[in-house]
Amino acid sequence: MSKKSCCHGPGYATPLDAMKNGPREKLLYTVTVQPNLDEPHGDYLSTVDVDPESPTYCQIVHRNFTNRKGDELHHSGWNACSSCYYVDEKAETVPKRNRLVLPALNSDFIYILDVATDPRKPEIIKTIDGDVLKSHNVTGPHTTHCLANGNIMISVMGDAGGYAKGDFILFDSDFNCIGTWTKGDKKALCGYDFWYQPYFDVMVSSEWGAPNKWRRGWRPSDLEDMTQYGCRLNFYKWSTQTLYQTIDLGADGITPLEIRFLHDPKRAEGFVGCALNAKVFHFKKKPDSDEFEAKKVIDIPGKLVDTGSGEAEDMGGMISDIIISLDDRFLYVNCWRHGDVRQYDITDCENPKLTGQLFLGGAICSDLPNVIVKEDKELKERPPARYVKGRRLEGGPQMMQLSLDGKRLYVSSSLYSPWDKQFYPEMVSKGGHIVQIDVDTVNGGISLNEDFLVDFKDEPYGPGLPHEMRYPGGDCTSDIWLADQE
């Protein structure tokens, strides 16, 4: 950023500015998947009213359908965020946060939505065909982040044939494709999520696996070829767009998914949640070096469970999301299979302290007749099923979004529809949900808001599956802050 700043763009000057001065959220843009692949309206963006003073509180007030089968909308991102806050006095235009970007995991299409004309009723204004990505030999678009120069970058997980490939695809501010981002001969084996910190000239990315593997569901045999499934963190030089370090996390680190630097842009450290075996690694920059090191700091043990086959299996928690409060004090971790959300105090990042835990469904509830937990290193008894407003919560806690002030945590239930069908068919048939957790930001601790439920059971074209959630003004996972580099 330049000290010659004429005005400011979208977002907030600092993470603490957002936390202290940001407004309470009133709308929740929620990616919603249609599990019935024969339904022609397809997936959609749900606009959920979360303003407790509104007559339509907890209701879906608008749905924007892609009108295309088989997309599998998943994550979303902005054309501009807090990384565009400071505007140089010589700039010809001031960035605006007015476009929401929705990549589709299965079709490789990308949908661009206008959220400024009527924030309660976003509308698709541009569709980027999946062949655009394939023409650059990439598929499986996932995370979207805006860049300070006005471009938009999306991580990808596969090549045109669906085999594993870690890279990124760039678009300009008008959503014309520029090409892939990584330069040089060295490429990541797999891709997934990413976060950048220009102050330290670094970007980090995580790994899931090859699209032709995860698109058909989970198979333990997929791990026989770890070039096609992820277990690594990849570090890039931001200025040269080159991969310079890869850290193999080993068996504990299989499927490192959501990855976050701390929000403070002058702290070169962060966390990644490793899904399969439910571990969280802390990574940090080595003193007087550009290289990073990673250390396992949260180890959630698997549970020895018989799910009706007569044979016990080690059921990992499947951490599918993590989120950090804007003051970098609390880390939230979910276990989609075990069914719990956890809050950790990360004042000491290398020694997280568990300060809250809440069960919201999962695969080991005490009312599931065919489930036998033979060994549990944490629980003395199985958690009961969770009901909100008379509705049994099917599935487990999946994507999370934290209010700017850190006092409310929203939790959805759908991971990815082929995996939903494999692990939680009841949720698919009955529809997913969003619940709200109240957070004690002073002492730590979390509790369920029993009066909040967004139910996706009775949707216009059948039960829906809610995944990622965004606020119109930015949030803890969409916005990246840049340090003053003067």
Side-chain angles (χ1 to χ4, degrees), residues 53-343:
E53 303 301 319
S54 169
T56 52
Y57 180 55
C58 284
Q59 296 180 30
I60 301 170
V61 296
H62 181 70
R63 298 169 182 85
N64 193 278
F65 295 90
T66 65
N67 292 307
R68 189 178 187 281
K69 299 178 184 179
D71 274 323
E72 192 75 30
L73 299 180
H74 196 65
H75 282 208
S76 61
W78 297 107
N79 66 317
C81 75
S82 293
S83 68
C84 309
Y85 183 81
Y86 288 98
V87 180
D88 192 277
E89 63 180 0
K90 297 180 181 179
E92 296 181 0
T93 59
V94 177
K96 295 181 180 179
R97 190 197 306 262
N98 57 5
R99 301 290 184 259
L100 187 65
V101 183
L102 293 179
L105 280 185
N106 287 357
S107 68
D108 306 313
F109 273 57
I110 301 171
Y111 298 90
I112 313 302
L113 284 77
D114 171 13
V115 297
T117 302
D118 185 348
R120 289 175 69 91
K121 296 181 179 180
E123 295 297 334
I124 295 173
I125 59 168
K126 184 171 184 176
T127 300
I128 300 170
D129 194 283
D131 288 339
V132 173
L133 268 63
K134 291 184 179 69
S135 71
H136 293 277
N137 194 30
V138 294
T139 55
H142 188 267
T143 299
T144 302
H145 280 304
C146 66
L147 308 184
N149 64 5
N151 289 339
I152 297 96
M153 188 156 83
I154 304 175
S155 62
V156 292
M157 293 180 278
D159 64 15
Y163 294 96
K165 179 182 181 180
D167 207 338
F168 312 87
I169 191 80
L170 279 172
F171 293 85
D172 66 19
S173 58
D174 293 319
F175 299 100
N176 300 304
C177 188
I178 298 172
T180 54
W181 181 82
T182 309
K183 297 184 182 299
D185 295 331
K186 195 173 182 180
K187 301 291 193 300
L189 289 174
C190 303
Y192 187 71
D193 196 17
F194 72 102
W195 200 280
Y196 58 84
Q197 273 200 346
Y199 185 76
F200 295 99
D201 195 21
V202 67
M203 183 181 81
V204 62
S205 71
S206 58
E207 300 183 337
W208 184 6
N212 60 19
K213 299 285 187 182
W214 45 255
R215 280 175 176 166
R216 54 154 167 69
W218 162 249
R219 295 179 187 175
S221 60
D222 288 341
L223 303 183
E224 294 172 2
D225 183 357
M226 292 307 294
T227 68
Q228 299 300 301
Y229 241 81
C231 62
R232 295 157 292 263
L233 302 184
N234 299 291
F235 294 87
Y236 298 80
K237 284 285 185 185
W238 185 245
S239 58
T240 62
Q241 301 172 209
T242 53
L243 175 64
Y244 73 91
Q245 184 189 7
T246 295
I247 299 178
D248 191 324
L249 300 176
D252 278 343
I254 292 173
T255 54
L257 298 184
E258 307 302 327
I259 194 161
R260 323 283 188 208
F261 269 113
L262 296 185
H263 294 290
D264 182 345
K266 289 191 175 181
R267 294 180 65 183
E269 58 184 320
F271 297 90
V272 62
C274 301
L276 185 64
N277 295 316
K279 319 298 180 190
V280 176
F281 281 76
H282 170 254
F283 58 90
K284 68 176 182 179
K285 188 173 177 288
K286 296 179 181 178
D288 302 318
S289 172
D290 290 333
E291 291 203 336
F292 281 71
E293 57 188 356
K295 171 189 172 184
K296 182 177 63 176
V297 293
I298 297 174
D299 189 337
I300 300 172
K303 304 177 187 299
L304 196 62
V305 180
D306 180 353
T307 56
S309 66
E311 295 184 3
E313 62 171 321
D314 186 17
M315 179 189 290
M318 200 170 288
I319 294 173
S320 51
D321 197 15
I322 64 170
I323 195 167
I324 300 172
S325 60
L326 287 176
D327 57 359
D328 291 328
R329 182 184 171 193
F330 292 115
L331 170 71
Y332 296 88
V333 177
N334 71 359
C335 288
W336 190 60
R337 293 287 280 142
H338 292 172
D340 56 322
V341 172
R342 301 174 181 227
Q343 178 199 56

Side-chain angles (χ1 to χ4, degrees), residues 438-458:
D438 294 324
V439 178
D440 184 340
T441 58
V442 177
N443 303 306
I446 53 178
S447 60
L448 183 64
N449 182 344
E450 301 283 356
D451 296 320
F452 184 99
L453 176 70
V454 183
D455 194 341
F456 288 78
K457 178 181 179 181
D458 297 319

